[in-house]
């Protein structure tokens, strides 16, 4: 059973528009969430994170929102650029003593010029 | 600074053979992790080293997998004997502190025929 779910395998967005990638989780012990970006034949690259004590974290064009009551987080990219085309993974940590990252299956984002 | 390097990038072996994957973490990173992505599935945790000690090996699939990190520097992951279901991409990651975002290598794509 998946504890981190990314229900959209793919997403296409026009260049300059907003990309919204969604992630749901089931484990209430998760207290830290991360987004990774992955290009083909490369490893995942850390993008942005958020602690469960916050509901928003922003870094340039990237913003992550966390809704703890709904066990939902989202990654907003605005404006989207063709170089953002990649697979985005949502991941979560269960807190002190557990350093396993639990990943979702990923969402492939295509930004169309 | 050099990133996490993994060798080989690809390996094709026959069922029953042995394969050894190598990971060189970022210099100074005490924490080293192995993850695996089987085709179409999420990236899954295998184990975590702190220096030369296994901190958590709960994700290792079975006793055909053996990970070592002698001297607390590079790590090896041996699969012996390999089975068809072991095919996938094996990622190594490292971090300076256990609660820091992980830096991933580009992975080793293992194909067992």
């Amino acid at each position: 059973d998946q504890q981190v779910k990314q229900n959209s395998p793919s997403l296409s967005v026009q260049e300059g528009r907003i990309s919204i990638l969604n992630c749901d989780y089931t484990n209430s012990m998760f207290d830290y969430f991360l987004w990774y970006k992955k290009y083909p034949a490369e490893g995942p690259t850390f993008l942005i994170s958020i602690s469960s004590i916050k509901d928003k974290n922003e870094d340039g064009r990237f913003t992550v929102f966390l809704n703890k009551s709904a066990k939902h987080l989202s990654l907003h990219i605005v404006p989207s650029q063709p170089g953002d085309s990649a697979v985005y993974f949502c991941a979560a940590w269960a807190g002190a003593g557990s350093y396993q990252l639990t990943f979702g299956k990923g969402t492939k984002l295509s930004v169309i010029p | 600074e050099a990133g996490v390097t993994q060798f080989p990038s690809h390996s094709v072996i026959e069922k029953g053979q042995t394969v050894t994957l190598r990971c060189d973490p970022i210099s100074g990173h005490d924490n080293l992790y192995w993850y695996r992505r089987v085709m179409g599935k999420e990236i899954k945790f295998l184990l975590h080293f702190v220096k030369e000690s296994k901190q958590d090996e709960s994700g290792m699939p079975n006793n055909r997998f053996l990970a070592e990190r002698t001297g607390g520097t590079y790590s090896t992951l041996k699969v012996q004997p390999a089975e068809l279901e072991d095919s996938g991409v094996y990622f190594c990651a490292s971090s300076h502190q256990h609660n820091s975002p992980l830096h991933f290598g580009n992975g080793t794509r293992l194909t067992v025929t």
Side-chain angles (χ1 to χ4, degrees), chain A residues 1-2 32 34 36 38 41-46 49 87 89 93 98-106, chain B residues 33 35 37 40-45 48 55-56 58-59 91 98-107:
Chain A
D1 61 330
Q2 274 191 276
Y32 196 79
L34 306 91
Y36 280 83
K38 184 184 178 305
E42 294 185 8
T45 302
F46 170 70
S49 62
V87 178
F89 291 95
W93 258 325
S98 171
Y99 307 114
Q100 298 183 23
L101 269 181
T102 301
F103 282 87
K105 286 187 177 182
Chain B
Y33 307 80
Y35 283 80
R37 188 183 190 199
K41 305 275 190 178
E42 63 272 28
I43 300 169
K44 283 199 168 182
F45 170 84
H48 171 207
Q55 182 77 12
D56 180 357
S58 62
F91 291 106
H98 56 76
N99 57 353
S100 304
L102 276 56
H103 298 263
F104 282 84
N106 287 338

Side-chain angles (χ1 to χ4, degrees), chain B:
Chain B
E1 131 187 298
V4 176
T5 56
Q6 293 187 244
F7 182 82
S9 57
H10 293 82
S11 181
V12 181
I13 62 171
E14 292 184 354
K15 177 182 171 181
Q17 290 186 321
T18 297
V19 63
T20 300
L21 314 180
R22 173 171 170 143
C23 169
D24 286 80
I26 292 172
S27 177
H29 281 193
D30 288 340
N31 293 275
L32 187 149
Y33 307 80
W34 285 97
Y35 283 80
R36 175 175 76 170
R37 188 183 190 199
V38 173
M39 186 176 299
K41 305 275 190 178
E42 63 272 28
I43 300 169
K44 283 199 168 182
F45 170 84
L46 296 178
L47 89 159
H48 171 207
F49 283 100
V50 177
K51 296 185 180 178
E52 67 276 7
S53 299
K54 291 177 185 173
Q55 182 77 12
D56 180 357
E57 53 183 328
S58 62
M60 295 288 263
N62 51 60
N63 59 10
R64 295 186 294 103
F65 289 75
L66 175 65
E68 294 180 323
R69 193 183 181 193
T70 307
T73 54
Y74 71 92
S75 174
T76 58
L77 179 65
K78 182 193 288 188
V79 185
Q80 178 183 31
E83 298 288 345
L84 298 178
E85 64 264 25
D86 300 333
S87 295
V89 181
Y90 289 77
F91 291 106
C92 176
S94 71
S95 66
H96 180 55
Q97 294 179 323
H98 56 76
N99 57 353
S100 304
L102 276 56
H103 298 263
F104 282 84
N106 287 338
T108 293
R109 180 173 294 277
L110 175 65
T111 303
V112 182
T113 61

Side-chain angles (χ1 to χ4, degrees), chain A residues 63-78:
Chain A
T63 303
V64 56
F65 296 91
L66 175 63
N67 182 334
K68 279 188 67 178
S69 60
K71 292 191 175 68
H72 176 84
L73 62 156
S74 60
L75 173 68
H76 292 211
I77 306 172
V78 56

